[in-house]
Amino acid sequence: MSNTEHRPHLYDSRECPVVDGHRLIQHLHARTADVGGIPVNRVMPQRGRRLIGAWCFLDHAGPATFTAGAGGMRVGPHPHTGLQTFTWMLAGELMHRDSLGNAQRIRPGELNLMTAGRGIAHTEESIPESGQLHAAQLWIALPHATRHTPPRFDHYPDLPRWTEQGTDVTLLMGDFQGREAPTHAFSPLVGLDIVSPDATQLTLPTRTDFEYGVLVLEGSLTIERDRFDTNEMAYLGSGLDEITLAMEAGTRALLLGGEPLNEDILIWWNFVGHSKAEIAEAQKEWEAGSDRFGDVPEFDGERIMPPPIPWKVTAN
């Protein structure tokens, strides 16, 4: 996925104080963007929230419909560094291709995880006959020690699934209640997809050393006295030992959590880095056609080029 944010983002506060016995939950509202021809609701990063654990970027793409054989998402070759891209498919199908030579179709209920590390390039295209697209696409920042890890791509067609208090739960990342997701992680994280066919109240145990957020993908839910509708996120902070969600019928939500990264993270265009110099060097190499990122020759189209860096770059 390509990020059109044009300014660097820094690590921020995790405070959600309790006042008169009520946690002051942070409300995060999505803004609409266009990615490859599909409208998306961008929840993070924004001024009020840059990180949840190492989760540093979140797009809710769709739900969108298009005529079979025309329209849909088409994102040309673009680079990434210092992150993992995480695509959780809800409806429709996408084709992923990357400069390592991977070509993988992703279907509903499947997950693609691409580790950029030092550098990779990829493309994403809707499957023409699918006629729809609905997905959550996230980035995970790599810790400083592993930011230059070799690039890799992993596809997960099978993930832990179970029924919990009237809801259907899928474990996307990390471990939860004795279950462990197979997804490859570089820092302590958790991700759950929760679907409530009927109205129900769901209480989930949490780790006090994690910070948590809940994004509503469809429907509505209430946490304590606060209501959240589709494309709204609740940021709950850390120090919790459980979270209770009062979910209306037909609600779908993502629960995201992680150990605070406690590192300064910069995001510019499609790069995640730990300094402006790192990001400037990556952009310079992409613009020059360096073999650091490789090519995606199977894609019929031009590479995507970045806007100028908005800070002064000192020559080496």
Side-chain angles (χ1 to χ4, degrees):
M1 167 146 287
S2 178
N3 177 19
T4 56
E5 274 296 299
H6 291 171
R7 60 182 182 271
H9 297 304
L10 294 171
Y11 171 82
D12 53 26
S13 170
R14 295 184 296 275
E15 293 300 320
C16 282
V18 175
V19 178
D20 296 330
H22 174 63
R23 179 172 287 263
L24 300 184
I25 300 171
Q26 184 181 22
H27 289 242
L28 302 173
H29 301 275
R31 62 195 185 282
T32 302
D34 180 280
V35 175
I38 290 291
V40 302
N41 294 282
R42 183 153 296 162
V43 183
M44 284 202 317
Q46 58 175 276
R47 185 177 299 275
R49 185 58 44 197
R50 313 299 193 195
L51 293 166
I52 298 177
W55 303 101
C56 66
F57 180 93
L58 171 53
D59 271 359
H60 177 204
T65 58
F66 49 90
T67 303
M73 177 181 284
R74 192 170 194 266
V75 182
H78 60 281
H80 288 292
T81 60
L83 59 83
Q84 293 177 289
T85 63
F86 178 105
T87 301
W88 170 233
M89 205 68 193
L90 305 175
E93 298 182 13
L94 282 175
M95 174 61 74
H96 160 98
R97 293 185 176 90
D98 62 45
S99 53
L100 299 179
N102 297 296
Q104 178 63 58
R105 181 181 292 211
I106 180 173
R107 299 174 173 85
E110 299 179 349
L111 193 152
N112 279 356
L113 186 66
M114 184 181 75
T115 301
R118 183 176 183 275
I120 196 170
H122 77 134
T123 65
E124 290 174 298
E125 295 179 272
S126 292
I127 301 299
E129 60 270 22
S130 68
Q132 60 179 323
L133 177 66
H134 191 193
Q137 296 195 297
L138 302 93
W139 294 357
I140 302 167
L142 294 176
H144 185 274
T146 55
R147 70 195 190 283
H148 294 320
T149 192
R152 59 182 282 175
F153 173 79
D154 296 282
H155 173 69
Y156 300 96
D158 297 306
L159 295 160
R161 293 178 169 88
W162 70 98
T163 299
E164 179 87 23
Q165 302 168 51
T167 65
D168 300 319
V169 181
T170 304
L171 180 58
L172 307 176
M173 177 68 81
D175 58 79
F176 184 81
Q177 292 183 307
R179 300 174 176 89
E180 185 172 355
T183 37
H184 188 71
F186 290 82
S187 60
L189 294 170
V190 69
L192 295 175
D193 177 84
I194 305 167
V195 179
S196 179
D198 303 307
T200 190
Q201 181 165 293
L202 172 69
T203 299
L204 298 172
T206 53
R207 289 177 47 167
T208 58
D209 59 330
F210 273 27
E211 56 182 332
Y212 288 92
V214 178
L215 172 65
V216 182
L217 297 174
E218 297 175 289
S220 300
L221 57 80
T222 301
I223 305 174
E224 296 189 20
R225 298 179 299 190
D226 292 25
R227 178 186 171 91
F228 296 87
D229 297 318
T230 302
N231 293 319
E232 292 182 338
M233 173 175 269
Y235 176 74
L236 301 162
S238 57
L240 297 169
D241 54 19
E242 66 178 24
I243 295 174
T244 297
L245 310 177
M247 305 180 71
E248 296 183 3
T251 296
R252 183 172 209 149
L254 285 182
L255 173 68
L256 303 173
E259 187 177 281
L261 198 54
N262 290 327
E263 297 179 1
D264 285 344
I265 297 297
L266 288 161
I267 299 177
W268 164 251
W269 194 51
N270 295 308
F271 305 118
V272 169
H274 290 254
S275 71
K276 291 182 177 180
E278 282 185 6
I279 290 176
E281 180 61 26
Q283 177 152 325
K284 177 182 177 181
E285 292 192 48
W286 174 253
E287 292 173 336
S290 164
D291 59 6
R292 171 178 178 176
F293 298 100
D295 298 314
V296 189
E298 298 84 359
F299 184 85
D300 180 20
E302 297 296 320
R303 297 192 313 152
I304 299 176
M305 301 304 290
I309 286 179
W311 63 80
K312 183 177 180 180
V313 178
T314 303
N316 293 330

